[in-house]
Amino acid sequence: MPYTCEQIEERMVDYLDGKLDEKQLRQVKAHLEACTTCAENLALQKAWLDQTIPLIRNDPERIAADNLHVSIMAAVKQAAEKEKNTAAEDESREDQARILLPWYRRLTTRNVLTTAAALIVLVISIQVFAGLYQSNVRTGDPTNDEMAGILAGDGETSSLEYAEEMPFDSDRDDINDNDIGIMGEEGTDTSMPAIIDDGRQEELPELDLFEIDWQVYSGFLADLPVGGSLFSQRDPGETQPVPTTQETDDPDLIAPDDPDADPTDESALIDSDIDFSEDPLQALTLIEQAEAIRVLTREGPPAETLLMTFWNESDTAEAWKNLYMMSQTWPYRSILYQMPAVNAQEQLYEELGAELTDEIFIDIDLSRWEIILIRIGE
Amino acid sequence: MSDVSENTLIKQASQGDDEAFASLVELYSSRIYSVCFSFLGNRQDAEDCAQEAFIKAYKAISKFNFKASFYTWIYRIAVNSCHDYRRKYQKVVIHSLDQDLETEDSSVSMQIADDNPLPDEIALANETKELIHQEIQALPEYLGQILILRDIEELSYQELADVLNLNLGTVKSRLARARKQLMEQLKEREQNAVKTRQKTDRSARRSERR
C-alpha cells in the first residue's frame, strides 16, 4: 500500500532523523517521486535543518557572555536579600490583610512530619473542624478561642459533633519525605493544632463523593471570571474563553487539558469534563490541607482577602473533597481557582487588584497546576 | 561534572549554601541563556529572563526532590520564564498579511527591490535570523517551544518529553506540526514578497512611462 500524503507527514520527523527502516524508506521515496507537494515540503524542511538552523545556532548573540553567571548570581543574592527584608516586614505587621506567603518559606523536605502520629493528629483536627462547622449554625468566623478550646479538648466545646460524613480516609500511607509538607519546624510551629489525646479510636468513614452537591460547586465556577474549571485542565479546543492575559493556546506548559498528554503520566491531570461525580480529582496532600484550614480558620477577619497558593501534588481526591466541604461552610465566598502556573499571579492581580508578588513555585514532578484559594469578604 | 557531585551541589544549595548554587549557575547559565535567546530574540531580554529563571530556581531549590534531573528542572523553569517574559515584556508578533504587503521586506531568496545596495552576506544572514525569529514567535506557543527546543537547542526527544511533560509520540507529532506550520508561514511570506515586488515593479514601470 503506497503511503498517503498524511502518512508521509507523520513519518517526516523520523525520515529526517534517518530513523526509518528500509521498507518505510522505500515507500516514502516512492511517494515523493510521485508527489510534488510532499517533495517540496521535504525540501523546505531539509533546507530548514541543513541551512537555516546552523545560521541560527551559530549566531554570536546566542552565546552567553563569559561573566553572565556572575551577574546572575549577584542578582539571585539581591533578590533573596530583598525577600528576606520584606518577609521580616510582613511578619511584624499586625494587619492580616496580606498575602500569605511566609509559611511557604518553611517548606523543606526535612520539615515534613510524616509519622503516623502526625497524620492522626491532622485527621482528628480536621474532623473537628468539619464537625464544628457542620453542626453549628454559624454566621461568623469561629473565634480563635473557641477553636483553641476545641482543639485542646477542653470538654466545653464539643468535639463530638461530627458530621455524618467524615472527610477523611485515615489510611494514608502515600505521604513520604518528598512531599512538601507545610508544617513549620517541629516543635516551633505554635500554630499547629494541639494534639488531641482523648483516647478516641474512631474509624473515619469515607466521604462519598456522590453526595457532594456539585451543583453548588459549579455555582462557584459560574461566578469565576476565569474560564477554567476547578480541577481539570482546560481543553484548548473547548469554546470556553480563556480570559487570561496571554494569547497562548499551549495545552501543556500553560495548563489546559492536553488531549496528547500521556495518560499514564502521574502528573497528568484529569479529564476536562466538569463532572465531579467521577473521581479523579487532584488533591492536596493531607498535610497541605490541614495547613490550609489552619490558616484560613485562624487568620484574619472575614472581610479580608487571603491569597494562598498550593501546588497540586497528590493524586487523591480526599483532601480536596474535604477542603471543598470546608469551603461551603465558610461565611464568605470562596473561590477555588485552578490556573496555569505561569499566569496565575497576573490573572489574580487583574481581578482582585492584589499586591503583586513574583512568587512562583515549581514542582519537580512537573505538575502544572497552581491552585489558588481566595477568600473574599462579603 | 559527574552526577554524584552535581547532586551534592544541589543538596548543599537547598540547605542554603550559596556557593553551591553559584556553581550550579555557572554550570547551566550558558544553556539557559541560549534557550532564552532562542525564545526572546535579543541578548538583553535573554539575560534578564535567564536571571529570572535562576532566581526562581534559587527560591524553589529546597523543593527539588531528585525525581528528575536538575537539567530538566532548570530547563522547565527557563521555558516557563520565557513564556512569562514574552507575555509581560514583548509585544505579540501578529503575522499579518497586510504587514507583508506594505513592507519592502522580502524573503531571503528575493532581492530587496529598492535603491539600497545589495545586502552582503552578513546583512542577509541577520535578516534571515530576524525573519525566522518573527515566524517562530508567530507560531502558537506550544508549537514554537518544541521547534526551539528541538531544532535550535537540540534537546533529545526524551529530554523534551521530560521538560514539557509530554510523551514521546506527542513530542514528535508536535514537532512535525511545528515544522510544517513554519514552512507554511515562510511560503506565505515569500508569496507576499513576490506580490510586493510585482506591485513595485509594475508601479515603477508605470512611472517610467510617464
Side-chain angles (χ1 to χ4, degrees):
Chain A
M1 228 344 206
Y3 281 164
T4 62
C5 289
E6 198 183 316
Q7 285 172 311
I8 294 290
E9 271 178 28
E10 285 166 18
R11 285 159 183 72
M12 197 66 100
V13 171
D14 287 333
Y15 177 84
L16 291 165
D17 285 341
K19 289 286 169 34
L20 293 183
D21 64 37
E22 268 192 46
K23 180 171 168 228
Q24 291 170 315
L25 211 55
R26 257 183 287 126
Q27 288 193 279
V28 167
K29 289 193 169 161
H31 178 100
L32 291 175
E33 271 161 29
C35 175
T36 47
T37 318
C38 285
E40 200 179 82
N41 275 326
L42 174 66
L44 280 173
Q45 290 198 22
K46 265 195 155 174
W48 160 251
L49 291 175
D50 296 340
Q51 293 163 33
T52 319
I53 289 295
L55 198 63
I56 293 174
R57 277 181 61 78
N58 294 332
D59 187 346
E61 292 296 287
R62 196 177 149 264
I63 314 292
D66 281 340
N67 64 344
L68 182 63
H69 66 99
V70 175
S71 55
I72 286 180
M73 193 58 203
V76 166
K77 287 203 170 133
Q78 211 177 53
E81 199 55 46
K82 181 174 162 213
E83 196 176 280
K84 243 192 279 178
N85 295 339
T86 31
E89 277 169 28
D90 282 349
E91 280 177 25
S92 66
R93 261 193 257 137
E94 293 271 308
D95 185 6
Q96 305 236 352
R98 65 177 191 263
I99 294 168
L100 289 177
L101 295 175
W103 59 272
Y104 271 94
R105 293 278 140 263
R106 304 198 284 272
L107 290 188
T108 67
T109 53
R110 286 173 304 156
N111 294 340
V112 175
L113 295 183
T114 57
T115 61
L119 291 179
I120 290 168
V121 167
L122 294 172
V123 166
I124 291 170
S125 59
I126 288 160
Q127 203 171 288
V128 164
F129 291 173
L132 175 69
Y133 279 112
Q134 299 211 331
S135 58
N136 298 309
V137 177
R138 295 196 163 263
T139 51
D141 216 6
T143 64
N144 282 350
D145 286 344
E146 280 180 307
M147 294 305 292
I150 293 167
L151 294 171
D154 62 3
E156 286 179 10
T157 6
S158 170
S159 54
L160 288 173
E161 294 166 318
Y162 294 123
E164 285 291 327
E165 294 165 0
M166 286 308 137
F168 276 111
D169 176 2
S170 58
D171 295 331
R172 285 206 47 146
D173 56 359
D174 59 343
I175 297 179
N176 55 36
D177 268 339
N178 283 333
D179 285 345
I180 303 305
I182 50 180
M183 316 276 214
E185 300 286 340
E186 243 184 275
T188 61
D189 186 348
T190 54
S191 53
M192 270 304 298
I195 292 179
I196 298 167
D197 183 17
D198 55 7
R200 246 178 294 123
Q201 298 284 326
E202 296 203 8
E203 212 173 272
L204 306 170
E206 283 215 0
L207 183 70
D208 189 342
L209 191 55
F210 288 85
E211 293 186 35
I212 291 179
D213 185 358
W214 295 109
Q215 288 309 305
V216 175
Y217 190 68
S218 351
F220 280 136
L221 295 180
D223 288 343
L224 290 185
V226 180
S229 65
L230 181 62
F231 296 127
S232 69
Q233 291 173 308
R234 244 170 305 127
D235 182 339
E238 280 185 22
T239 52
Q240 262 183 346
V242 180
T244 56
T245 53
Q246 87 280 23
E247 303 188 24
T248 185
D249 55 353
D250 175 4
D252 56 316
L253 262 196
I254 312 304
D257 194 8
D258 185 352
D260 296 331
D262 181 358
T264 63
D265 191 321
E266 275 176 14
S267 59
L269 297 186
I270 61 164
D271 197 289
S272 66
D273 260 330
I274 302 184
D275 178 14
F276 297 117
S277 58
E278 308 279 287
D279 181 348
L281 294 171
Q282 289 289 336
L284 298 169
T285 62
L286 191 58
I287 294 173
E288 284 170 331
Q289 180 186 349
E291 180 66 13
I293 292 166
R294 175 192 71 79
V295 171
L296 289 164
T297 54
R298 296 177 61 148
E299 305 252 357
E304 280 161 11
T305 303
L306 296 179
L307 191 70
M308 291 172 58
T309 307
F310 292 94
W311 281 100
N312 200 355
E313 293 184 16
S314 112
D315 60 2
T316 73
E318 305 308 325
W320 267 120
K321 289 179 221 170
N322 189 60
L323 194 56
Y324 170 69
M325 284 189 55
M326 293 280 101
S327 73
Q328 298 313 295
T329 58
W330 292 327
Y332 4 78
R333 191 172 71 133
S334 311
I335 303 171
L336 292 174
Y337 259 78
Q338 186 174 43
M339 286 199 290
V342 292
N343 74 336
Q345 280 90 13
E346 269 177 50
Q347 183 75 37
L348 235 39
Y349 310 136
E350 280 187 12
E351 290 161 26
L352 302 175
E355 198 185 314
L356 192 74
T357 171
D358 60 354
E359 288 290 306
I360 293 184
F361 285 88
I362 297 143
D363 179 10
I364 187 60
D365 281 331
L366 309 182
S367 167
R368 294 164 263 163
W369 295 101
E370 187 171 299
I371 297 178
I372 299 172
L373 183 67
I374 307 166
R375 184 178 72 186
I376 300 174
E378 300 284 307
Chain B
M1 163 137 329
S2 71
D3 272 351
V4 173
S5 47
E6 179 175 294
N7 284 348
T8 309
L9 278 180
I10 297 169
K11 283 205 181 86
Q12 289 169 343
S14 40
Q15 286 161 8
D17 182 350
D18 282 356
E19 287 314 302
F21 192 82
S23 299
L24 290 169
V25 174
E26 198 174 342
L27 282 172
Y28 286 99
S29 54
S30 290
R31 273 170 285 185
I32 297 306
Y33 168 83
S34 290
V35 68
C36 292
F37 181 84
S38 297
F39 268 90
L40 302 173
N42 71 81
R43 187 176 284 278
Q44 188 59 58
D45 285 347
E47 286 181 350
D48 289 347
C49 186
Q51 188 173 289
E52 278 181 25
F54 278 106
I55 290 174
K56 286 177 200 165
Y58 181 80
K59 291 178 183 174
I61 189 126
S62 54
K63 286 182 70 170
F64 184 82
N65 63 9
F66 297 94
K67 282 186 191 169
S69 76
F70 184 79
Y71 179 63
T72 306
W73 188 73
I74 190 74
Y75 241 96
R76 167 168 273 247
I77 293 176
V79 174
N80 273 332
S81 300
C82 288
H83 285 306
D84 274 354
Y85 196 95
R86 266 191 68 189
R87 271 178 233 127
K88 273 198 239 172
Y89 303 117
Q90 290 191 340
K91 282 198 276 198
V92 175
V93 174
I94 296 176
H95 186 66
S96 118
L97 290 182
D98 293 337
Q99 248 179 325
D100 285 336
L101 284 171
E102 280 157 21
T103 64
E104 290 185 31
D105 209 344
S106 65
S107 74
V108 292
S109 61
M110 311 287 291
Q111 286 182 359
I112 296 178
D114 62 6
D115 54 8
N116 288 343
L118 282 178
D120 61 14
E121 278 186 23
I122 294 175
L124 188 61
N126 285 340
E127 198 184 294
T128 311
K129 284 182 252 178
E130 179 54 40
L131 189 154
I132 295 293
H133 176 71
Q134 278 178 25
E135 294 301 337
I136 292 179
Q137 292 214 328
L139 291 171
E141 280 184 10
Y142 74 102
L143 290 182
Q145 72 187 1
I146 293 247
L147 201 70
I148 290 171
L149 291 174
R150 172 64 187 178
D151 285 348
I152 302 177
E153 295 303 312
E154 295 188 346
L155 265 64
S156 73
Y157 290 124
Q158 188 55 55
E159 285 166 345
L160 267 175
D162 291 339
V163 170
L164 300 177
N165 197 28
L166 300 170
N167 63 32
L168 286 175
T170 310
V171 167
K172 285 195 180 174
S173 69
R174 282 200 188 168
L175 180 63
R177 269 159 76 189
R179 286 177 181 165
K180 181 177 170 201
Q181 192 161 327
L182 183 69
M183 296 309 126
E184 276 163 19
Q185 281 175 206
L186 290 174
K187 271 195 273 186
E188 200 178 279
R189 186 183 265 257
E190 169 135 3
Q191 281 165 7
N192 292 333
V194 172
K195 283 191 211 138
T196 308
R197 204 181 75 144
Q198 286 172 348
K199 273 174 83 175
T200 320
D201 283 354
R202 251 177 276 140
S203 60
R205 266 179 267 137
R206 267 198 296 272
S207 55
E208 272 170 22
R209 269 186 248 126
R210 288 199 203 110

